[in-house]
Amino acid sequence: MLGTRIGIVAALAACIAVASVPAQAAGCLKGAAIGGVGGHFAGHHAVAGAVVGCAVGHHLAAKKEREARAAAATQPPASAPQR
C-alpha cells in the first residue's frame, strides 16, 4: 500500500515537473495518463507506463506538429479575388 502511494506521488511529481515547461510537454500529459493506466493493468507498472507514455506522447505530438508545418509550407499562397 505504501509502495503504491509512493509510486503515485512520484508519477504526479514527474508530470508536474514536465508540465512546468509547456513548450516541451506537448502530448506528454495525455501519454503519461494513458501509459500509467495501461501499466497499472499490465502488472502494476504504472510509473514505468507513465514514463514511457510521456515519451511516446511527446514524440507523436512533435511528429504531428512537423507534418502540419510541412503541409502549411507546401500550400500555395492565397490569391487575390478576381473581378
Side-chain angles (χ1 to χ4, degrees):
M1 186 71 140
L2 181 61
T4 304
R5 288 184 184 176
I6 291 172
I8 291 171
V9 170
L12 290 174
C15 288
I16 290 170
V18 171
S20 65
V21 184
Q24 296 177 354
C28 181
L29 295 178
K30 186 184 344 180
I34 293 169
V37 170
H40 171 72
F41 286 112
H44 299 289
H45 299 291
V47 176
V51 170
V52 172
C54 177
V56 170
H58 178 70
H59 170 73
L60 292 176
K63 181 179 174 183
K64 184 177 179 181
E65 183 179 337
R66 280 192 307 270
E67 290 172 353
R69 273 191 261 141
T74 59
Q75 290 180 352
S79 61
Q82 297 179 359
R83 295 180 196 195

